[in-house]
Amino acid sequence: MKSEVRVVCAHDCPDMCSLIAHVEDGKVVRVQGDPDHPYTAGFACGKVNRDADLVNSPERIKTPLKRTGPKGSGQFKPITWDEALDEISAKWKAIIAESGPLALLGYAYSAHQGLMNRGLVNGLFHALGASRLQAGTVCDTCCETAWDVTVGSVGGADPEDVVHSDLVISWGADLAATNVHFWALAEEQRKKRGVPIVVIDPRRTRSAKAADLYLPIRIGTDAALALGIMHILVRDKLANRDYIAQHTLGFDKVEREILPKFPPQRVAEITGLAVTDIEKLAAMYGKAKAALIRLGEGMTRLTHGGQALRTVALLPGVSGHYAVKGGGALLLTAASCDLNYAAVRKPSGLAATRNVNHLRLGEELLNMQDPPIRALYVAANNPAVTCPEVHKVQKGLLREDLFTVVHDPFMTDTAKYADIVLPAASYLETDDLYRAYGAYWMQWGRQAAKPQGEARSNFDVAQALAGRMGLSDRIFTLAPQDAAKELFKGATGPAAAADPEKLFAGEPIHIAHEFKGQQFKTPSGKLEFYSEQLAKQGVSPLPDWNEDPAEVAEAAKWPLRLLTAPGYFQAHTAFSGVGFLRQREGKPFCVLHPEDAGKRGLKNGDEVRLFNDRGAIGLMLQVGDDIQPGVVLVPGQRPTGEAVSGTINMLCSDRYTDMGEGATYQSTWLDVGKWTA
């Protein structure tokens, strides 16, 4: 029997593609783009096109497992679901009786789940009164905070309005890899109307190779370039004075105190760019009528990352492009989808009194007290690979007194440290509600096939554990569709007008506001060049660029700076269960410029050692000029067993960004040499 089921891609990607799953005799045999969706338009990326292989992977965990050997050894025996759930609930009850609920930590993030499967796990631990995960710090809290203090908690430009743009700037985003449908729309406008595309990125990505103008900026200097462009706009009388006066706050201070420090020659020295290219970009931007900047999150994963994104986000305020359809800036859209998320994520229950920062899991597992974390539940995440200072995470997971449960489709690095491993359903095997974070669409994803083996969804397991723990909140008894309806009760903005029944019937819903210029939800109601919020936090209230003393000291000690970026076929470990994609990506590798490789006597294909004060790992070497001298590129997050040795986050510090307490992966210095076993 054959059927086609409209599903939604659940991988952590801004596009949220509508897909068609082809099912034969209850098995997903092919996944393809849904041609009827207005934005994702009938095609999917090379990774998602292989998701039939992912859901049917022979590497999937089929039954619940209980540890039989030492932690980290990966030695387990099959047990039943009842045995697993009974043991988990019994352990949790005993720990709560001895140490209180704060000794429990639920660790769930996005990975390959929608709002229901992700949200209800968090809701379980909220209702228990457990320690709360401050999620997203490894990814987007820095950029979100920077955007919020500048523009406000509101979405940016609609990517579909690129049909009205006359200039597109991809700033720190490899759109061909991470936002492919926006990239396709931008390329279409270039072909139809001659709209130029500019790419600003330390790496010559696929997007950069296709751009009309590529600026290979030095890592960490984005704010300086943005201030240099502002300097030229003012100098050449291309600043929109009417817009600045009506819709912004504090530009006079920036113009007086900051911009004189960033003439083109100094900006060129800071960024490594040619003065002519800086002048060319500023002229293109200042003369455009509707320039759209697509902001990447990568520029914020360093010490001054918040200031970098904040400064770039201010540019459309100088030009006035925020007032024009097709102009402005786009970072994320999720803040404009005002659903009642608390209905699922925060049911009634004890309020937690402490947070655990996502990126400092290792530190807290080792050192948190009163009480220490005694039970860890990990769903849809792999912290033994993704967290900075992985050595700390591994050491914490090795604690014999830490009761760890991992719910995942695959035996991840983290799962090998667990006491109980639970087989998880994939997005193709469960119902869920999806809200894009790089476009203004909501969709309901239907279950295309029954879960493999005994796998169960996050939603199901959260409800089963809630029942065993004696939680009485209604959300833990509802079917997925009924639970999803709760999100619409109390929703505001366009989401309030959405009809969930239409979603359940398979109709995607567009949730963008009617465009009347970029909204600003700052305290002043304006675009804030001067931020009183930042001043109160002890952070510079004006956009600026300065070298960080700690970074200067590390750069003097180590010759190479780390650049991390998504891999084209192995963006993160959620794709590691597909052998075809692993083969396409190749063994975990790093990239050195020919000049740096030559200095070290290294050649393409060598096994090399990457090292600094935090440790050493082994990767395969590729030599190429897509990056600049002085940089080592490591694409993707890969399981430790695939590499020559280790994973790149063993070398990254768990210090915070300047705002949002985010991760500083790119503020890592190291060296590379020949691998010795």
Side-chain angles (χ1 to χ4, degrees), residues 103-167:
L104 274 61
L105 174 65
Y107 193 97
Y109 192 43
S110 52
H112 45 259
Q113 305 293 343
L115 295 178
M116 309 304 298
N117 280 293
R118 174 182 173 184
L120 199 62
V121 177
N122 293 320
L124 168 67
F125 288 94
H126 182 275
L128 289 170
S131 292
R132 189 87 67 250
L133 180 72
Q134 183 184 344
T137 56
V138 297
C139 184
D140 54 21
T141 57
C142 179
C143 67
E144 283 190 341
T145 301
W147 177 269
D148 288 352
V149 298
T150 306
V151 180
S153 183
V154 62
D158 189 332
E160 294 175 73
D161 284 347
V162 73
V163 297
H164 303 290
S165 304
D166 60 0
L167 173 65

Side-chain angles (χ1 to χ4, degrees), residues 218-237:
R218 282 190 187 129
I219 300 169
T221 64
D222 301 275
L225 177 57
L227 291 168
I229 293 170
M230 291 184 200
H231 178 106
I232 295 169
L233 294 178
V234 169
R235 183 199 70 191
D236 294 351
K237 297 181 171 52

Side-chain angles (χ1 to χ4, degrees), residues 75 96 116 178 193 266 282 289 309 328 353-354 361 418 441 452 513 553 574 592 603 620 632 637 640 658:
Q75 298 175 48
I96 291 171
M116 309 304 298
T178 61
R193 301 187 290 114
R266 181 174 184 239
K289 303 300 182 186
L309 187 129
T353 58
R354 67 180 183 186
L361 176 66
W441 289 94
Q452 292 279 312
H513 293 267
L592 277 179
K603 64 182 185 303
M620 303 301 294
V632 56
Q637 304 252 348
T640 56
D658 51 351

Side-chain angles (χ1 to χ4, degrees), residues 40 42 160-161 259 403 410 565-566 604:
T40 61
E160 294 175 73
D161 284 347
L259 296 189
F403 178 66
F410 298 96
N604 199 63

Side-chain angles (χ1 to χ4, degrees), residues 79 278 476:
I79 56 174
I278 296 168
F476 296 119

Side-chain angles (χ1 to χ4, degrees), residues 277-569:
D277 282 342
I278 296 168
E279 293 277 6
K280 181 177 181 180
L281 174 61
M284 291 171 69
Y285 189 71
K287 293 174 183 177
K289 303 300 182 186
L292 177 55
I293 300 175
R294 182 60 169 99
L295 295 159
E297 298 172 38
M299 76 171 84
T300 67
R301 294 176 187 140
L302 40 77
T303 306
H304 287 161
Q307 198 67 281
L309 187 129
R310 168 169 156 69
T311 308
V312 179
L314 286 167
L315 267 176
V318 183
S319 63
H321 290 140
Y322 271 132
V324 185
K325 195 168 188 175
L330 169 62
L331 174 66
L332 303 169
T333 61
S336 287
C337 183
D338 302 312
L339 294 168
N340 179 21
Y341 299 107
V344 173
R345 298 175 185 171
K346 297 182 179 181
S348 63
L350 300 171
T353 58
R354 67 180 183 186
N355 287 330
V356 172
N357 188 300
H358 197 156
L359 71 90
R360 288 199 171 165
L361 176 66
E363 179 70 22
E364 305 298 20
L365 288 179
L366 294 174
N367 297 313
M368 183 168 270
Q369 298 296 322
D370 301 322
I373 297 170
R374 296 183 55 194
L376 175 68
Y377 183 93
V378 181
N381 215 259
N382 191 9
V385 172
T386 59
C387 284
E389 305 226 21
V390 165
H391 288 304
K392 289 183 181 179
V393 178
Q394 293 173 339
K395 188 175 180 180
L397 291 171
L398 282 169
R399 281 175 40 201
E400 284 296 335
D401 62 336
L402 177 70
F403 178 66
T404 301
V405 179
V406 173
H407 187 202
D408 200 278
F410 298 96
M411 184 58 67
T412 63
D413 284 63
T414 307
K416 292 175 183 176
Y417 291 92
D419 296 284
I420 300 288
V421 179
L422 305 174
S426 75
Y427 75 92
L428 293 168
E429 299 166 323
T430 182
D431 294 331
D432 214 330
L433 178 66
Y434 299 92
R435 175 264 298 135
Y437 64 84
Y440 289 97
W441 289 94
M442 278 195 301
Q443 300 181 77
W444 180 256
R446 289 170 51 204
Q447 182 185 56
K450 291 182 179 180
Q452 292 279 312
E454 297 178 24
R456 295 175 65 176
S457 70
N458 287 12
F459 188 88
D460 289 342
V461 176
Q463 289 191 331
L465 287 169
R468 279 172 165 79
M469 295 300 294
L471 300 177
S472 58
D473 304 270
R474 182 169 168 266
I475 197 72
F476 296 119
T477 66
L478 298 178
Q481 282 195 7
D482 293 327
K485 291 176 185 177
E486 298 296 307
L487 294 175
F488 293 89
K489 297 177 181 178
T492 60
D499 182 353
E501 296 301 333
K502 289 184 178 179
L503 282 172
F504 301 148
E507 180 180 330
I509 293 182
H510 196 235
I511 51 171
H513 293 267
E514 180 184 354
F515 185 79
K516 296 179 181 178
Q518 173 66 50
Q519 292 182 313
F520 300 116
K521 291 190 176 181
T522 55
S524 67
K526 296 182 177 183
L527 181 71
E528 295 197 349
F529 284 84
Y530 179 89
S531 170
E532 187 65 33
Q533 296 177 79
L534 290 179
K536 290 177 180 178
Q537 297 168 20
V539 179
S540 173
L542 295 175
D544 205 345
W545 180 87
N546 292 291
E547 290 187 295
D548 179 72
E551 291 194 352
V552 172
E554 283 214 39
K557 190 173 183 181
W558 300 99
L560 299 172
R561 186 169 192 169
L562 176 66
L563 176 64
T564 59
Y568 285 111
F569 298 101

Side-chain angles (χ1 to χ4, degrees), residues 598-617:
K599 286 179 182 177
R600 292 161 174 79
L602 302 173
K603 64 182 185 303
N604 199 63
D606 281 350
E607 292 185 348
V608 293
R609 178 174 176 261
L610 285 69
F611 60 97
N612 60 16
D613 290 336
R614 297 180 191 92
I617 67 167

